[in-house]
Amino acid sequence: MKLLPLSLQGGGMILCVLLLRSFFQRRLPRTTFWILWIAAAVRLMLPFSIPLPILRHGTPALSDLSPLLSQTAWSPAGALSGSAENPAEMLSTGGLSIWHVLWAAGAVLLLGYFMVSYLRYLRIFRASVPDDTSEIQVWLDAHRLQRSITVRWCVEIASPLTYGIFRPVILLPATMDRQDFATLQLVLTHEWVHIRRFDALTKLLFAAALTVHWFNPLVWVLFVLGNRDLELSCDAWVLRHIGREYRASYALTLLRLEEQRAFPCCNQFSGHFFEERIKSIMQYKRHSAPVLILVFLVVLIVASVFVVQPVTSANIQIQGVSGTEENTEADNISADGTDVYEIAVQWAEALKDRDAARRYSLLADDSKPADYEEFAAGVGVSSPWVTDYDVTLDGTTAVITYRTETSEPETYIYQEVLELGEEDGQTVVRAYHVTVNYLREDLYEEAQEIQKQVLEGHLTWRLDPESVALGFAHETLGLSDLETVSASDQEVIFRTAAGETISVQLYRPLQVEHGFLAVYGYSIGSNHTILDNVAIY
């Protein structure tokens, strides 16, 4: 998945978490939002979606589509036309654009900031010395983890903090009173919870997401609120460990310490957030089992919506990979059709992203057109745009059915057939052609039903192009007494009694031989009208 779509999808998840946080932060455990922020950051850093095997009903099996596999298909000129060029897109010729440079510059600057901050505080951490206070050693013996924890003190910090992932260290300020064992226990327990939950790693994840997606303002929101909710969740864990009756003592300890933010990967609270934190501590309560089940369902649903990708976006039905001598090329490519499917998905994703260079690279050498600019201009249109697609396989043939949408809104079906083969040990696209050219979805479903009846022999009569065009002229245009000048599958030309020329453009939406026809448009004299495929016969 490309960076911009990934960032937009992650941004959608952040908005969802923000809405949940706005309405339910007083009703759901703080840990809910901590987990959701982690899931959002993982979504931003995960360059792919997890496929969910849910098949969409109504998509015909390839065996039913076999009559589509003709080598020619008429594409109505100018149908729902739009330019594939977009000045805001990344260059598709393999070179760097200004957007690549700007993104890289921002990422490097932010990474440099985090690295400089880390190195500066690493010097402070290394200047610390072990704290051998007997009370601390007793506490450590009672709170052992699989990772060994070390407690140190340092004169250059004003508040306790934790650093390190595999060899964690709790760093205490030298001015902290070691004789106040009650306060010491609360501070150590707080830092111990951070270590136990790998919160240092979570904060690094937030920082990495911000570095990669710095251009997305919603990711800045994730970075700020994610770190805040991490602290609020940590407080809740501490109170669950020590007991709700210690809320006041814990809040007073925080008030005395007045921790200040010092390092992006360390604990922080100040100002309004500090007040929110104290209120959250005083309002803490244990949640019942139904609430915890609800939390689990909320996290599962939100994560599923944005991390899991239904297979309806790349549906696959593998048929006919028999392994016989008649299908040796399919066997050479892949015994289970995996390579063919992956190439077909890449081909479909390239159309979805309007990435002509990617499509061009998937073609066999002898199938690449000589004029690349003309090829690139035909890869996708600005409207309708691809939102979803299905891939159906039959050996080395793939049918890709795209769902496209417009701003009206309206949904159209676009379909391609690929013939795949092997070249230099790699699977490539040897030939491709369009079988459905932006047919409105309701008409596509009607066309499928008619096609099914034709294939099953229930409809043995179909009108020829001349009869279809003549019927259209009579019924829709209200014209009669027409003389046929010429007729083909794509166009029928009539002449009226007054000598006026009428042209009716036709095409077969599903390329069924002797099947039905759709009227694409008509011309009377020099005036041409596009009908948006409203007439099917």
Side-chain angles (χ1 to χ4, degrees):
M1 184 180 290
K2 284 191 172 182
L3 181 61
L4 184 56
L6 180 63
S7 191
L8 291 175
Q9 190 170 6
M13 189 171 183
I14 293 170
L15 282 175
C16 184
V17 179
L18 279 174
L19 288 174
L20 289 172
R21 190 180 190 273
S22 299
F23 290 104
F24 300 106
Q25 63 176 331
R26 302 299 182 191
R27 297 179 176 87
L28 293 177
R30 289 292 182 175
T31 301
T32 307
F33 308 107
W34 168 62
I35 296 174
L36 287 173
W37 289 127
I38 293 175
V42 170
R43 169 67 279 180
L44 289 164
M45 300 302 292
L46 197 66
F48 56 86
S49 296
I50 301 172
L52 183 66
I54 299 178
L55 301 180
R56 177 191 296 154
H57 297 290
T59 302
L62 189 60
S63 58
D64 295 332
L65 297 175
S66 56
L68 306 183
L69 307 183
S70 59
Q71 293 301 315
T72 60
W74 180 65
S75 301
L80 300 168
S81 61
S83 173
E85 300 295 330
N86 187 335
E89 291 181 358
M90 299 297 185
L91 293 180
S92 60
T93 57
L96 289 177
S97 72
I98 184 63
W99 309 108
H100 288 101
V101 175
L102 288 175
W103 171 82
V108 168
L109 285 174
L110 204 53
L111 179 62
Y113 167 76
F114 285 125
M115 291 300 297
V116 169
S117 299
Y118 175 76
L119 292 175
R120 186 176 66 184
Y121 284 95
L122 186 61
R123 178 185 59 81
I124 296 176
F125 298 157
R126 288 177 174 172
S128 63
V129 297
D131 194 320
D132 297 326
T133 305
S134 58
E135 290 82 0
I136 291 178
Q137 297 306 315
V138 170
W139 185 91
L140 285 175
D141 290 337
H143 295 78
R144 292 186 180 275
L145 296 175
Q146 290 184 343
R147 293 167 292 155
S148 177
I149 302 176
T150 303
V151 178
R152 303 171 70 91
W153 62 270
C154 182
V155 297
E156 298 189 47
I157 62 171
S159 60
L161 55 87
T162 297
Y163 71 93
I165 298 173
F166 302 107
R167 292 193 296 271
V169 176
I170 297 175
L171 201 60
L172 302 176
T175 55
M176 187 172 180
D177 184 6
R178 299 322 192 259
Q179 304 304 316
D180 186 355
F181 191 58
T183 298
L184 189 62
Q185 278 191 314
L186 292 174
V187 169
L188 291 175
T189 301
H190 177 88
E191 303 303 334
W192 176 78
V193 168
H194 276 308
I195 294 172
R196 182 183 176 186
R197 302 193 317 174
F198 288 90
D199 282 347
L201 191 60
T202 300
K203 293 189 176 187
L204 287 176
L205 174 63
F206 292 159
L210 183 63
T211 301
V212 174
H213 300 272
W214 61 267
F215 56 88
N216 188 339
L218 288 172
V219 182
W220 289 86
V221 173
L222 178 148
F223 182 76
V224 174
L225 295 185
N227 278 291
R228 287 188 175 189
D229 285 337
L230 180 146
E231 287 295 340
L232 294 173
S233 171
C234 181
D235 291 337
W237 280 48
V238 171
L239 292 173
R240 187 171 61 190
H241 182 76
I242 64 176
R244 186 170 180 268
E245 61 273 18
Y246 290 99
R247 289 177 301 167
S249 298
Y250 185 52
L252 288 172
T253 298
L254 297 182
L255 287 170
R256 286 197 299 269
L257 291 173
E258 281 292 334
E259 288 189 342
Q260 299 295 323
R261 181 179 180 179
F263 177 51
C265 292
C266 298
N267 308 336
Q268 77 282 347
F269 35 72
S270 59
H272 175 71
F273 172 58
F274 184 75
E275 295 177 7
E276 179 185 3
R277 190 174 181 184
I278 296 300
K279 289 180 181 178
S280 177
I281 291 171
M282 298 308 298
Q283 294 170 357
Y284 169 79
K285 62 179 180 179
R286 285 185 174 272
H287 293 275
S288 61
V291 172
L292 297 179
I293 294 173
L294 176 62
V295 169
F296 173 78
L297 292 177
V298 168
V299 173
L300 183 63
I301 291 171
V302 173
S304 298
V305 169
F306 292 95
V307 178
V308 175
Q309 178 184 20
V311 182
T312 55
S313 179
N315 197 4
I316 177 173
Q317 300 177 30
I318 301 178
Q319 303 176 16
V321 185
S322 61
T324 63
E325 293 182 1
E326 296 178 356
N327 198 29
T328 54
E329 187 174 21
D331 290 336
N332 289 337
I333 293 176
S334 174
D336 59 2
T338 303
D339 289 350
V340 175
Y341 171 64
E342 290 177 353
I343 296 301
V345 168
Q346 291 182 37
W347 181 268
E349 285 289 336
L351 180 64
K352 188 175 182 180
D353 297 335
R354 298 202 286 273
D355 189 343
R358 188 176 178 188
R359 279 202 156 196
Y360 191 80
S361 68
L362 295 174
L363 288 169
D365 289 340
D366 56 0
S367 300
K368 292 179 179 177
D371 190 343
Y372 174 79
E373 296 300 326
E374 181 179 352
F375 169 81
V379 177
V381 292
S382 60
S383 179
W385 54 86
V386 177
T387 60
D388 195 12
Y389 58 87
D390 298 334
V391 177
T392 308
L393 297 185
D394 187 1
T396 57
T397 300
V399 175
I400 308 176
T401 304
Y402 303 88
R403 288 170 56 86
T404 67
E405 294 183 359
T406 64
S407 56
E408 295 178 6
E410 191 69 78
T411 302
Y412 294 84
I413 301 299
Y414 183 80
Q415 190 177 78
E416 293 178 303
V417 174
L418 310 182
E419 297 293 343
L420 297 104
E422 191 174 8
E423 181 179 83
D424 298 330
Q426 295 186 351
T427 304
V428 294
V429 177
R430 292 200 175 278
Y432 66 96
H433 53 279
V434 178
T435 52
V436 179
N437 197 54
Y438 297 111
L439 183 65
R440 214 170 58 230
E441 186 176 32
D442 59 330
L443 297 179
Y444 174 74
E445 293 173 356
E446 180 183 344
Q448 282 185 294
E449 181 59 31
I450 296 174
Q451 174 188 260
K452 180 180 179 182
Q453 296 183 45
V454 171
L455 293 173
E456 292 177 353
H458 301 310
L459 283 180
T460 57
W461 60 271
R462 301 308 300 161
L463 299 177
D464 57 49
E466 184 178 356
S467 299
V468 170
L470 189 60
F472 170 77
H474 286 325
E475 298 170 13
T476 305
L477 303 181
L479 300 173
S480 59
D481 195 17
L482 300 175
E483 176 189 356
T484 303
V485 176
S486 63
S488 67
D489 282 348
Q490 299 180 10
E491 182 182 46
V492 179
I493 299 177
F494 301 108
R495 184 180 294 113
T496 67
E500 191 173 32
T501 299
I502 299 174
S503 171
V504 178
Q505 290 84 44
L506 309 166
Y507 80 108
R508 301 185 187 277
L510 297 185
Q511 295 299 303
V512 179
E513 187 177 359
H514 306 305
F516 59 92
L517 294 157
V519 177
Y520 164 64
Y522 66 95
S523 301
I524 300 179
S526 60
N527 297 321
H528 184 227
T529 302
I530 296 177
L531 293 180
D532 194 23
N533 307 324
V534 295
I536 288 186
Y537 299 88

